[in-house]
Amino acid sequence: MLVVVARRLIDGTGGRPLDWPAVVVDDAGRLAYVGPRLTLPPLPPTTRRLDLGGLTLLPGIIDAHVHLVFDGGPDPVGALATQDDATLLRAMAERATRMLCSGVTTARDCGARGALAQQLQRAIASGAVCGPRLIVSGAPLTTPNGHCHYLGGVTGRGVAAVRAAALRQLAAGVDWVKLMVSGGRITPGSDATRLQFDEPEVRAAADAAHAAGRRLAAHAHATASIAAAVAAGADSIEHCTWLGPDDTIAYDPAVAAQMAERSIYACPTTHLRFREVNSRRGAGWLEARLTTIGRMHAAGVPIAFGTDCGIPHVPHDRWAEGIVWLEHAGLSPVAALHAATGAAARCLGLSTEVGTLTVGKRADLIAVEGDPARTLAALGPVRWVMQGGTIRVGERAA
Ligand SMILES: [Zn+2]
């Protein structure tokens, strides 16, 4: 057994921080006590103790939208094309280790080449590779020459073709089917304002996933694609950009209300370069984009944090800036941290295991400098990382 004490604790539920906390981790790597130091129950004399001083304890970060096949360099798609599967898998493992060391203890890979994400998932689960607990979506389903076609998930149009493609991914072991409902920006010739699949096709993918007890992630920039995905039963809307046909922001409160009512998650993919990527679109764009995130949150749409790391100039170990953007969008600091912990866990179907510092869950926790409950601008460097009771970064117990 191990008892960890620190200056404060944010438990990932969205509730108030706790001053002078203690956390007890049992020998199975689960949380046995989370609460004030003063009410710590008597512990066996063999219990080890770790004092993290002035640090703040948080649940391990959950990044609900990552791409381990992309390198986060200037040209991830070009770099990918030059690598065979064995080389790529080694690079993915190295990125996963960097993510874990930065404090990301769980992640959903939202699109990889072939079945490489499943291979990495198995390697991490077996302990052969250190990395975040991985939830995977395999190769994203897309149209010929459609967004991310080079990852291998090309399907023809029509309900039967999409259903067959979804079943192939499910047979290959994915946790989520990922469907590129709209076009995207990093694929030449693809149009983010247009639908790649219509509502019956999205429903075919959603039904196939649900029948297998799994979920559908809909990549959807265009407002029409968000509406189609919501109507068709998608479980999460990736990017959720609310792009109108004229390529301006066109938020639809009626669709957002359906997302709130049915607990369909928005994963707005905020990241290190959110300002650059959005400001490029012209004056006022960044503010309009942030406003849509704030409006969704205010309307009760559950938000899962994701960085889209791996895309150009967004490395895998820089999640903090992405959460700060959620605060700029109007979420309180603890609500933004909830999106990256408890809410993301619920989105991924892992809420009984991880996401909050709750007795019985796995001991995934990190410690940062500063007081992020006051403002996320105070979110300091990650000094300590524990995953499933194993200390990955920082001080060991005495
Ligand atoms: Zn993505």
Side-chain angles (χ1 to χ4, degrees):
M1 261 208 211
L2 168 68
V3 58
V4 182
V5 298
R7 171 64 186 82
R8 67 181 68 74
L9 176 146
I10 297 170
D11 68 4
T13 63
R16 290 183 47 207
L18 173 69
D19 284 320
W20 310 112
V23 172
V24 176
V25 179
D26 70 18
D27 293 337
R30 291 193 181 258
L31 298 169
Y33 173 86
V34 179
R37 278 187 218 181
L38 281 173
T39 54
L40 192 62
L43 296 167
T46 53
T47 304
R48 291 170 303 138
R49 187 183 160 85
L50 178 59
D51 188 345
L52 293 174
L55 301 184
T56 298
L57 285 168
L58 306 170
I61 297 299
I62 300 177
D63 189 335
H65 190 128
V66 311
H67 295 283
L68 285 157
V69 289
F70 294 144
D71 66 6
D75 180 17
V77 178
L80 180 77
T82 66
Q83 291 185 315
D84 63 25
D85 280 357
T87 310
L88 189 51
L89 190 58
R90 279 195 298 277
M92 291 167 72
E94 188 269 325
R95 287 166 205 149
T97 303
R98 268 195 287 127
M99 280 183 83
L100 177 60
C101 292
S102 79
V104 178
T105 50
T106 300
R108 177 179 57 168
D109 191 283
C110 259
R113 192 167 77 194
L116 288 176
Q118 291 92 306
Q119 285 187 47
L120 182 62
Q121 179 188 45
R122 285 193 294 272
I124 290 172
S126 74
V129 170
C130 275
R133 179 176 296 102
L134 267 195
I135 296 291
V136 301
S137 63
L141 303 186
T142 192
T143 50
N145 299 315
H147 182 46
C148 290
H149 61 87
Y150 44 80
L151 295 176
V154 169
T155 166
R157 292 291 307 267
V159 164
V162 172
R163 179 180 147 75
L167 291 174
R168 276 197 299 278
Q169 288 299 316
L170 292 161
V174 300
D175 303 299
W176 287 67
V177 172
K178 169 96 182 280
L179 184 68
M180 301 301 203
V181 184
S182 78
R185 298 206 184 282
I186 62 169
T187 305
S190 179
D191 183 349
T193 69
R194 303 272 304 266
L195 271 77
Q196 296 197 144
F197 295 102
D198 60 22
E199 187 187 315
E201 291 166 323
V202 184
R203 181 169 291 116
D207 288 352
H210 295 157
R214 290 173 241 172
R215 300 183 185 199
L216 181 75
H219 161 104
H221 287 294
T223 300
S225 66
I226 298 169
V230 168
D235 300 283
S236 73
I237 309 295
E238 306 304 310
H239 312 300
C240 206
T241 314
W242 303 100
L243 272 186
D246 60 351
D247 206 15
T248 59
I249 298 284
Y251 182 74
D252 187 334
V255 175
Q258 287 177 50
M259 292 172 70
E261 195 184 307
R262 291 162 47 204
S263 287
I264 298 171
Y265 279 76
C267 184
T269 55
T270 50
H271 52 70
L272 175 66
R273 294 190 70 249
F274 201 66
R275 181 185 300 283
E276 288 89 329
V277 165
N278 286 283
S279 299
R280 205 187 282 154
R281 309 295 307 281
W285 183 276
L286 175 67
E287 288 69 24
R289 183 95 163 78
L290 290 172
T291 300
T292 65
I293 299 171
R295 286 185 75 178
M296 285 193 285
H297 177 64
V301 177
I303 308 281
F305 170 67
T307 59
D308 218 0
C309 59
I311 64 167
H313 306 290
V314 180
H316 295 80
D317 50 4
R318 294 289 297 271
W319 50 269
E321 293 86 348
I323 300 184
V324 173
W325 282 112
L326 295 180
E327 189 182 9
H328 290 320
L331 279 69
S332 69
V334 289
L337 287 167
H338 174 60
T341 55
R346 190 168 291 281
C347 172
L348 301 191
L350 295 174
S351 60
T352 59
E353 284 291 292
V354 296
T356 61
L357 300 182
T358 307
V359 169
K361 289 197 188 181
R362 290 183 189 277
D364 284 5
L365 55 165
I366 65 173
V368 299
E369 288 184 4
D371 179 5
R374 198 164 41 80
T375 166
L376 293 179
L379 191 64
V382 174
R383 294 297 185 206
W384 186 81
V385 177
M386 170 181 272
Q387 185 191 38
T390 301
I391 296 170
R392 302 292 194 182
V393 172
E395 235 181 295
R396 314 269 151 172

